[in-house]
Amino acid sequence: MSIFLRTDDPHALAARFNGLIAAREVASWTVDRFGNYFHDVPHWHYAAFFNPVALGDGLRLNLHFIDKRCDRRFCFAELHGAMLQALLQHCGDRFHDAHVSRGPDHGDEAFDG
């Protein structure tokens, strides 16, 4: 379950998003010391996080679940939507297009349902 952002410079895209989070211009997301993104809404913050992976042609954000009891399909939809909204609003000029997988992708956890 991932978001893939096609960009010529995935490190610059991640750095820009991290900088906006640090400046609180992107107030709905936090980034931890490992670079993982957490939705800064109490009921979502401990449900799952996105782990960014820089690739040659883009930045992939893999979703990892923390709360194993959450409805993964619902969590998947909500968090992907919120992340895409933030990225399009604040960093849309830093990537060419975005793709969202509809299920597990590239080593993600199993997606039941």
Side-chain angles (χ1 to χ4, degrees), residues 62-110:
N62 288 329
L63 184 65
H64 296 278
F65 293 100
I66 299 168
D67 184 352
K68 305 299 184 194
R69 299 166 297 145
C70 72
D71 178 337
R72 289 185 176 202
R73 195 168 293 279
F74 182 73
C75 184
F76 171 81
E78 289 292 318
L79 290 176
H80 275 70
M83 177 58 83
L84 280 172
Q85 182 274 331
L87 288 163
L88 287 166
Q89 182 177 357
H90 298 283
C91 299
D93 61 337
R94 301 291 174 124
F95 58 93
H96 309 294
D97 53 52
H99 299 272
V100 178
S101 66
R102 66 175 204 90
D105 191 25
H106 303 288
D108 290 336
E109 297 179 37

